Each structure stands twice: as structure tokens, then as C-alpha cells.
Amino acid sequence: MSTGTIISCPGGFVDGAEYAHSGAAVYVTNPATGQVFAELPSATEGDVDVAVRAAGRAFDQWSVLAVRKRGELLGRAADHVEGHLDELVPLLTREQGKTLRDARIELTKAVDTLMHYVGLSKALRGAHTPNLDPGIEGIVLRRPLGVVGAIVPWNFPTTLLSNKLAPALIAGNTVVAKPASTTPLTTLRFAELLTEGGLPPGVFNIVTGSGSSTGTALVTHPEIRKIAFTGSTAVGEQIMALAARGTMRVTLELGGSGPMIICDDADLGAAASAASMGRFYNCGQACLAIKRVYVFDSVADEVIDQITAKAKRLRVGRGDAEGAQMGPLHTAAQRDEVARQVERTLAGGGTLTAGGGRPQDPELSDGFFYLPTVIADPPHDAPMAIEEVFGPALPIWRVADLHEAIERANASQFGLGSSVWTRDLRRAREAAQRIEAGYTWINSPTKVYDELPFGGWKSSGYGKEHGQEALDYYTETKSVVIGSTP
Ligand code: NDP
């Protein structure tokens, strides 16, 4: 581990101000250089308790505000964050590794999501049934849950936070968030900016530290009413088991192994571009990334050639370097895991057509870089067909027809994103109906929209983020029956 000048910070943000944690130091590394550049103390169980209690006190005021008022306050605060993107973008690049361009896209999206729910705050409606029985009517009340714990990974620290924060706050909850221990800095500044922009103290608090200690303390705190988690399936399952003890609410956005089906009648150029963007964006570290391609045999050579050419053309470099299109992986461990998955897959067969190792450039030797990699025709039971590959490596298989493609797409424990490319409406409809996944893009890049619910089937998770639906996961309903006797 090489080190340079190290920034120190107190670690927490509680009740509208910085809060000094009392636990062991956590270090933040620049993935492009391998250098540690920040340290912060982690939150102990006691520190988590302080943050949750602050959120509990704030809940008493926040939950009774008019929903329109909550929207106004969050909207002004989000505007303030937007005014500071130039400061946040390089910070996100430095701790996460992504390019400056991708950091700006991420942060802009994080603000957009806050604004989306600010807009929805003006459109909330209730349910009323007039004649349950003669003279008897029913209404459905919605109430916020209380203090929500948000646990967020390192791949998109701010958008994955906004996806939870925005519906939670608009629904009237308060939040204690724990970012990944490797990406705490942008989140801390994000919280500070929201408070400067007018979000009341205690409504949004941050604790930082490892998942095993700080994360567990948050999940098991008796005043937490819900955990909204994004991360690995293994940790999601642990959280669900812990939550079961107190029947605490959870939403789990977990791993994915998104299939893309390319039919023989597709616009092959557009499909190859979407596969390349869908796999290599954010250095392949996205839950909804395209992680398996199934292409009709008759057009497979052309598609493999096109995706391979795109992979070879991608400019890999430090996130802050001019013209870099793909940065490093987030950690050395993440890079080594992807390298192992590629090696284990190739050991069973298939042809490496691009990448397959680290870049040769000595300027990049200390960072966690790995070349955009394409493997054609690996075995169907290869590790890359079965496991989630969280990095820039894409396997491509040939299939005889749509039936085989869908069967193979569904032969996975995951069910998050999926994509189909065809000009035939019947094929598109069949794929959308039969693929087991929470999202199917038809002839469209893998982009998530705030307007539509997003969430996984099978081992990819439970519950929805985005859309009007997300608000449902931050409220409890109560049915009220009103009789006619005074
Ligand atoms: P994790 O699931 O371990 O981490 C995600 C978040 O959960 C982090 O904030 C982490 O803290 C926290 N956490 C970890 N353990 C616990 C726990 N026991 N209780 C509460 N919180 C906990 O993912 P990793 O970052 O370790 O990534 C491992 C793999 O998971 C990746 O290779 C990828 O396959 C998958 N993954 C998938 C993501 C997706 O969006 N689908 C996102 C991230 C990872 P800490 O920072 O200390 O680890």
C-alpha cells in the first residue's frame, strides 16, 4: 500500500453537522493509483445509536410536515447539491475510480432522482371505497415507517443512495445511511450540501465504517423500521435473515447477470453498441450490466467482431485523464476476482477475442485496471455463465433460435436486467413475457428510468426502487372502515 498526503475527517454526519466517530480508522484508496488518500474513524455501535436517535427525533417533526412542504425542502436542497457538482465530480472519481464524465452522469442522475420524487410529492393521491356495505365506506391511510437504514455499495455511491433517500423522505421517513467503507467521502459531502440547502437537521444522517460492524449495528438497531440495501446477494440474504427476527421491512437490490439476446433480424450495429456500453460502462461494475450475450448463430460472427472491435477501441485510463473512457476497477480484490473468473472460464473453452489481462501502460501499473475483455463461445456451464461478473468481461454464446436464447437467459439464479434486439414485434413480446427479470429493454440501451419500477426477481432481490412503486415500500397502509352511525 503506497501513501501520500492523507485527508482526515470525523467520519459521521449527524443532526445536521459533522460527527466524530470513535471506532477504528478506515482508509480510502484512489483506485487509479493504489494510493491511500483519506482516513476516517468508523462508527461503533454507540455512534450508530446516536445517529438513529437523532433521526428518530427528527422524524417527529418531519413526518407531520405537509407532503408539499417536504417536497419544497428537498427540492431546494437538491438544487444546492446541483450547484456544487463541480466539487463533487472529482471527489467521486478519486474515491470510486470512474471517469470524470461518468462521475458527472452519476451525480446528475442522483439529483434528478431527488427531483423526481419532489415532483411526485405534488401528485400523491389516496384510495377510497364508497359502499363496502350500505352506509359503510373505507379509506386507506398511508403512514411513514419511521427511521430507515440505507446501506449502499461503492459502484454508484450517490445514485443508489438517492434511490432510497428520495422516496423515503417524501413519504415522511428519516434516514441513516451507511455508504461502502471504500466510498464514504462523496456521500458525506452530499449530506452536508443537502443540509446547507435547507434539509432540516437529523432528517438525513450518515454513519461510515465496515459492513460487518457498522452495517450490522444499523441493521440490528431496535429503532430501525426498514433497511433499504443494495449490494451482493450474500449480504442481502444475511440482512433478510436478521430482519426476520423483528419482521423489519427490507428492500434488497442485489446481484444480476443480465442477458442480452440478439436475433438475426436485429440492427446489429445498434445491438453491438448497446452490448459494449451495457457491459463496459462504469468498468462493468453495475448490477444491471449486460453480463451474458446470446446471439443467433447466423449473425454471431459479425456481432462478435463488432463487440470485439469496440472493446479494443475503448480508451482505458485514470478517471481524471483527458479522454479516458473506462477507469480502473474499484479495488485490487475486485480486479483479481474478475481476472480469476476469466481464467477459469477460458480453462473450460472459448476464444479470447479482446483483453484478458491488465493494460501494459506503466502509468497504470499501480492502479486496479483490467482491459475490456470479450470471450466468444465459452461452455454454457462456464463460471461466467453462472456467477455475477462485476467487471469489464463479456462472454458471448451462439444460439439456434429465440426459444433457446430465452431458456439460456433464464438458466440463472439472477433476474434483474435483460435485453432483446429484434425488429419482429412477436419475438420482442415473447421475450418480454418470458424472460425472468424485473426489467427488459427492447431495442434500447440499458438505462434505468425514475418513472419505472426497478427491482430483481429470484436472487436479484426483493422490492422495488424508482417509480411510484418505491413510495409504497416506505409506507405502511391502514384500512379504515367508517360506519354511518354517528
Ligand atoms: P457487499 O454486499 O459486501 O457491500 C455492499 C454494502 O453493504 C457496503 O456498504 C458494505 O459495507 C455493506 N455490508 C457488507 N456486509 C454487511 C453486513 N453484514 N451487514 C450490513 N452491511 C454490510 O458488496 P461488496 O462491495 O463486497 O461487493 C462484492 C460483490 O457483490 C461484487 O463483486 C458484486 O458481485 C456484488 N455487488 C453487487 C452490487 C449490485 O449493485 N448488484 C453492488 C455491489 C456489489 P463495506 O463497505 O464495509 O463492505
Side-chain angles (χ1 to χ4, degrees):
M1 176 177 75
S2 51
T3 56
T5 310
I6 296 192
I7 306 163
S8 290
C9 81
F13 188 82
V14 176
D15 233 349
E18 285 186 336
Y19 174 82
H21 288 153
S22 46
V26 168
Y27 297 94
V28 184
T29 300
N30 182 338
T33 62
Q35 279 199 327
V36 170
F37 70 94
E39 75 172 309
L40 53 171
S42 56
T44 60
E45 208 175 317
D47 295 326
V48 170
D49 184 57
V50 169
V52 174
R53 286 183 192 283
R57 286 191 301 277
F59 178 76
D60 293 340
Q61 278 95 52
W62 181 253
S63 59
V64 296
L65 281 182
V67 64
R68 186 188 59 252
K69 183 70 183 169
R70 289 200 291 263
E72 275 170 30
L73 288 168
L74 183 60
R76 252 183 267 142
D79 276 343
H80 188 68
V81 173
E82 191 169 30
H84 287 75
L85 287 193
D86 287 349
E87 174 198 339
L88 290 169
V89 163
L91 184 59
L92 180 56
T93 289
R94 196 172 182 198
E95 69 174 349
Q96 205 286 334
K98 61 184 66 191
T99 63
L100 291 171
R101 181 175 169 277
D102 290 353
R104 187 168 293 278
I105 291 171
E106 173 179 337
L107 282 154
T108 303
K109 176 73 177 152
V111 171
D112 279 356
T113 298
L114 296 180
M115 284 307 192
H116 181 78
Y117 286 91
V118 168
L120 283 185
S121 72
K122 297 182 184 138
L124 295 179
R125 297 280 184 277
H128 172 246
T129 310
N131 282 325
L132 292 168
D133 266 320
I136 295 191
E137 61 188 318
I139 54 174
V140 179
L141 301 184
R142 278 199 176 273
R143 289 281 182 265
L145 303 170
V147 181
V148 169
I151 299 182
V152 180
W154 43 261
N155 53 340
F156 293 96
T158 62
T159 47
L160 296 175
L161 174 66
S162 275
N163 294 350
K164 298 159 181 58
L165 186 65
L169 293 189
I170 291 301
N173 305 277
T174 54
V175 173
V176 177
K178 192 203 88 63
S181 46
T182 51
T183 53
L185 302 175
T186 318
T187 309
L188 284 165
R189 185 67 184 126
F190 197 83
E192 199 169 47
L193 288 166
L194 285 172
T195 305
E196 281 173 23
L199 200 63
V203 163
F204 175 35
N205 309 274
I206 307 285
V207 290
T208 59
S210 77
S212 55
S213 85
T214 306
T216 303
L218 189 60
V219 174
T220 53
H221 193 290
E223 278 188 43
I224 291 285
R225 292 283 174 268
K226 171 186 170 147
I227 290 289
F229 172 80
T230 300
S232 60
T233 297
V235 173
E237 286 173 356
Q238 284 173 33
I239 288 176
M240 197 157 191
L242 284 175
R245 288 192 200 160
T247 54
M248 184 174 65
R249 307 294 179 258
V250 287
T251 40
L252 304 171
E253 296 295 337
L254 309 178
S257 185
M260 175 181 280
I261 296 173
I262 305 176
C263 301
D264 52 1
D265 62 339
D267 177 337
L268 300 184
S273 293
S276 169
M277 173 61 94
R279 175 68 279 198
F280 301 124
Y281 179 68
N282 208 42
C283 201
Q285 301 164 118
C287 49
L288 58 82
I290 295 300
K291 294 175 185 151
R292 298 174 288 150
V293 167
Y294 297 103
V295 56
F296 281 30
D297 203 6
S298 57
V299 294
D301 287 341
E302 187 177 343
V303 167
I304 291 165
D305 285 351
Q306 287 201 34
I307 296 177
T308 299
K310 286 174 192 298
K312 287 181 171 166
R313 272 203 304 273
L314 272 178
R315 286 191 298 279
V316 177
R318 287 176 54 138
D320 59 4
E322 182 77 27
Q325 293 172 310
M326 195 181 91
L329 283 110
H330 180 56
T331 60
Q334 196 65 41
R335 177 202 53 206
D336 296 346
E337 174 59 16
V338 172
R340 274 194 297 274
Q341 287 172 311
V342 167
E343 281 158 24
R344 284 162 54 227
T345 291
L346 284 169
T351 308
L352 182 70
T353 64
R358 300 190 197 183
Q360 296 300 311
D361 183 350
E363 297 259 304
L364 305 182
S365 61
D366 291 333
F368 311 138
F369 294 92
Y370 194 80
L371 290 168
T373 294
V374 179
I375 299 175
D377 309 313
H380 281 291
D381 61 354
M384 291 175 78
I386 295 162
E387 300 161 12
E388 178 175 33
V389 180
F390 219 60
L394 182 63
I396 306 178
W397 289 273
R398 295 161 203 267
V399 287
D401 53 24
L402 187 62
H403 178 76
E404 184 190 350
I406 293 173
E407 294 287 308
R408 296 204 181 278
N410 286 343
S412 166
Q413 64 163 314
F414 299 109
L416 192 56
S418 60
S419 165
V420 60
W421 289 79
T422 176
R423 290 189 170 98
D424 182 334
L425 186 58
R426 282 166 307 176
R427 283 173 164 173
R429 284 176 61 104
E430 185 182 346
Q433 294 283 349
R434 289 188 48 212
I435 295 177
E436 296 166 354
Y439 231 93
T440 297
W441 288 270
I442 297 171
N443 299 331
S444 179
T446 47
K447 178 179 168 190
V448 169
Y449 292 91
D450 284 322
E451 292 81 352
L452 303 178
F454 176 85
W457 295 9
K458 305 197 278 189
S459 297
S460 289
Y462 170 78
K464 300 293 170 192
E465 295 195 323
H466 299 283
Q468 180 99 20
E469 285 79 354
L471 288 165
D472 297 343
Y473 287 89
Y474 291 94
T475 51
E476 208 65 273
T477 61
K478 176 188 275 191
S479 298
V480 178
V481 176
I482 307 172
S484 54
T485 313

